[in-house]
Amino acid sequence: MNELFNIAGHFIDPKTIESIAPLGNGLINDTYKIMVHGEPKYVLQRINNAVFTDVDMLQNNIETVTNHIRQKYESQGIKDINRRVLHLLKADTGKTYVVENEQYWRVMDFIADSYTYEAVTPEYAYYAGRSFGDFESLLTDLKAPIGEIIPDFHNIEFRLKQMEEAIAEDRVGQMREVEVQKFVAKIREASERMCLGERLYREGKLPKRICHCDTKVNNMLFDKDGNVLCIIDLDTIMPSFVFSDYGDFLRSAANTGAEDDPDLDNIHFNMEIFEAFTKGYLEGTKSFLLPIERENLPYAATLFPYMQAVRFLTDYINGNTYYKIKYPHHNLVRTRAQWRLFEETEKSLAGVKL
Ligand code: GN1
Ligand code: MG
């Protein structure tokens, strides 16, 4: 605990800190809230440096994007800007992060009276669609460069290659498990149709845009009336297909079960959420979205549970080195759940045209 106080002391007056307590349930970084006068005032985060190896680029990306959005909101006369866009604090080093014992830390303002959810109603899904669409739209005229913080992050061809490498290496002997072999076979069987986006990109038909790339429901803050306040978890902002933001949101929001649901019967694709989110997203992106992007949104909704199954299975085969796990088979349970969601999504969206 003392360590956390010392680190926070690089960003704020340590005498004002009452306590520091864990916050949220991300799979990558460690997050805490800093209490001042009985209220959460700041968010302290340990950046996972194994995942985000270039912390300078990471923090630069976030500063560039949040400054751009803040300026736009100012020129549009939007009120309450500090609750609508994240704000990184500067440390006594002059940077927006500090390094202590090879660990990287940052501090942001806590946005008061805000709520996160793991599941949404169709009404909230509509607002979420609008917000992610608006978010992309606000960034279409960004001139400053945004680095590809995790190269090939949502490149399914690359994720499949990583799976094949893990299989070839089989460092902990998981390939002996029949269930693992079965998933590998199914993933390979679907791979050709799932790599459509990368093919369209190579043919010069599909653009990359600045996307959020982690649009899970819990990466959005709502106010008490259900309005979207602010989009959070900006680490993975990078150039990508719009499929990333559209597809990854539905992967969490339209799933009637949990991401790691052990009971596969809970998992279905909620068409009402799909319709509401799509309506909002199409409104938010109407100024720039190309027909090729729009037509392939149903494909995007199937791509993300597929890609997540590939990523969870790869981590399981590698001996769980990437995602935080709560029990030994967690990544296999996650794979089962994401695979079921992929099948359910394909079934539900067969023949759906946008
Ligand atoms: C990770 O940290 P978190 O939970 O927001 C991951 C996403 C995955 C997600 C699966 C940098 O996000 O890509 O979709 O877990 N982020 C990174 O829940 O790999
Ligand atoms: Mg998150």
Side-chain angles (χ1 to χ4, degrees):
M1 242 332 145
N2 255 339
E3 191 206 355
L4 296 182
F5 276 77
N6 287 339
I7 289 154
H10 287 287
F11 297 86
I12 52 178
D13 179 358
K15 291 195 292 291
T16 59
I17 304 174
E18 278 165 11
S19 62
I20 302 182
L23 174 69
N25 47 9
L27 302 188
I28 304 290
N29 297 320
D30 297 325
T31 309
Y32 304 87
K33 56 184 171 186
I34 300 179
M35 304 294 289
V36 175
H37 301 310
E39 309 269 348
K41 191 82 185 13
Y42 304 100
V43 175
L44 170 68
Q45 247 181 350
R46 189 176 68 83
I47 301 167
N48 184 329
N49 181 229
V51 171
F52 301 105
T53 48
D54 188 345
V55 176
D56 246 337
M57 182 201 275
L58 174 75
Q59 295 295 94
N60 239 318
N61 281 353
I62 299 177
E63 267 194 285
T64 303
V65 165
T66 52
N67 287 341
H68 184 80
I69 293 179
R70 187 166 297 111
Q71 273 166 19
K72 286 232 160 151
Y73 283 169
E74 273 163 14
S75 67
Q76 291 168 7
I78 285 180
K79 287 194 301 260
D80 232 6
I81 291 177
N82 288 336
R83 305 184 70 224
R84 306 291 307 274
V85 55
L86 288 183
H87 174 240
L88 291 168
L89 270 66
K90 282 230 156 68
D92 47 14
T93 56
K95 293 194 181 244
T96 58
Y97 64 91
V98 296
V99 196
E100 292 255 339
N101 304 324
E102 292 170 47
Q103 310 264 355
Y104 290 75
W105 298 87
R106 66 183 166 205
V107 172
M108 286 160 277
D109 284 326
F110 183 91
I111 298 180
D113 303 318
S114 64
Y115 304 84
T116 56
Y117 301 99
E118 297 296 325
V120 283
T121 59
E123 191 193 348
Y124 282 31
Y126 167 76
Y127 296 131
R130 261 312 288 248
S131 298
F132 280 120
D134 287 343
F135 183 84
E136 287 174 352
S137 173
L138 285 169
L139 298 175
T140 49
D141 64 343
L142 184 63
K143 296 282 180 308
I146 294 294
E148 194 177 350
I149 188 69
I150 303 179
D152 293 314
F153 187 52
H154 280 167
N155 177 342
I156 185 60
E157 290 176 350
F158 173 73
R159 294 301 182 183
L160 288 164
K161 197 167 125 252
Q162 283 185 316
M163 182 188 79
E164 294 301 338
E165 282 164 8
I167 295 168
E169 207 182 335
D170 193 18
R171 37 174 123 129
V172 287
Q174 304 292 41
M175 290 313 297
R176 285 194 300 267
E177 285 182 36
V178 176
E179 190 183 359
V180 174
Q181 295 167 13
K182 207 183 67 192
F183 276 123
V184 166
K186 289 194 207 173
I187 286 168
R188 285 178 179 155
E189 208 181 282
S191 67
E192 170 136 0
R193 69 180 188 280
M194 299 319 292
C195 291
L196 172 71
E198 296 299 328
R199 284 198 298 276
L200 291 174
Y201 179 65
R202 269 197 298 278
E203 290 162 12
K205 295 180 183 154
L206 184 67
K208 288 197 181 176
R209 306 184 184 278
I210 304 301
C211 296
H212 180 281
C213 294
D214 191 13
T215 52
K216 283 197 293 199
V217 176
N218 62 16
N219 281 335
M220 185 168 258
L221 301 181
F222 292 86
D223 72 8
K224 64 175 187 340
D225 304 317
N227 301 308
V228 176
L229 270 177
C230 181
I231 287 171
I232 60 170
D233 200 345
L234 307 179
D235 293 329
T236 51
I237 289 179
M238 70 185 106
S240 193
F241 309 138
V242 292
F243 301 163
S244 291
D245 291 351
Y246 178 85
D248 217 18
F249 183 84
L250 288 171
R251 183 181 71 79
S252 59
N255 183 358
T256 54
E259 179 176 77
D260 57 353
D261 214 311
D263 183 354
L264 298 183
D265 290 339
N266 288 338
I267 300 174
H268 300 284
F269 185 76
N270 183 329
M271 284 300 280
E272 262 187 286
I273 298 282
F274 164 79
E275 276 153 20
F277 177 72
T278 303
K279 182 168 186 283
Y281 184 77
L282 291 176
E283 285 174 19
T285 56
K286 67 171 177 295
S287 64
F288 68 87
L289 201 71
L290 301 174
I292 188 92
E293 294 175 301
R294 181 183 169 129
E295 280 156 24
N296 285 298
L297 292 178
Y299 153 73
T302 64
L303 174 62
F304 278 82
Y306 176 80
M307 184 162 357
Q308 201 60 61
V310 173
R311 291 177 66 193
F312 283 146
L313 185 67
T314 303
D315 199 33
Y316 183 70
I317 297 172
N318 280 335
N320 311 307
T321 57
Y322 188 86
Y323 291 109
K324 290 184 205 165
I325 53 167
K326 295 204 172 107
Y327 51 90
H329 280 68
H330 202 167
N331 274 319
L332 184 60
V333 171
R334 287 167 170 156
T335 305
R336 289 181 193 138
Q338 292 297 299
W339 189 263
R340 173 60 65 89
L341 179 63
F342 166 60
E343 290 177 334
E344 289 286 305
T345 309
E346 276 209 317
K347 219 165 45 188
S348 304
L349 294 181
V352 171
K353 297 252 179 312
L354 286 177

